[in-house]
Amino acid sequence: SSSSSSSSEKLLLGITSNTPTRHMESVLPMLDNLHDHFSWFACSQDVKHEKPAIQIFDAAYRQAKFWLPDLEKDEVLHVGDSYAC
């Protein structure tokens, strides 16, 4: 049987949060290596805009493109806890 995706394909994960940077930097590393699974962190404090403002999502997209230069916006999935975002 064949698969439509290669076993070498991996998801690129990042966090886009309204949480202050100091909380992200102090809490995530304590969560059993959860921090190691994320390639970028876009915080509203750094971007100067909170979700659902487009600027924070644009900042996250630019960070993702560092890891995947050919990434298109329609290939990005946002999973959140607010319908407004």
Side-chain angles (χ1 to χ4, degrees):
S1 124
S2 66
S3 173
S4 62
S5 65
S6 166
S7 61
S8 65
E9 288 183 38
K10 293 185 179 181
L11 293 176
L12 179 68
L13 301 174
I15 292 178
T16 304
S17 179
N18 290 342
T19 301
T21 305
R22 69 181 182 278
H23 292 164
M24 298 270 295
E25 292 172 347
S26 62
V27 173
L28 280 176
M30 295 186 301
L31 298 176
D32 295 327
N33 298 323
L34 183 64
H35 186 272
D36 298 337
H37 295 284
F38 296 95
S39 298
W40 80 87
F41 303 88
C43 295
S44 61
Q45 180 179 0
D46 299 330
V47 177
K48 308 290 188 242
H49 294 277
E50 290 189 348
K51 295 181 291 176
I54 191 66
Q55 291 90 341
I56 193 168
F57 293 105
D58 285 344
Y61 176 66
R62 285 191 301 274
Q63 290 184 48
K65 283 187 68 77
F66 172 83
W67 298 98
L68 291 172
D70 296 330
L71 183 67
E72 298 293 332
K73 284 188 175 181
D74 65 352
E75 298 174 310
V76 176
L77 173 65
H78 169 77
V79 177
D81 60 356
S82 170
Y83 184 71
C85 293

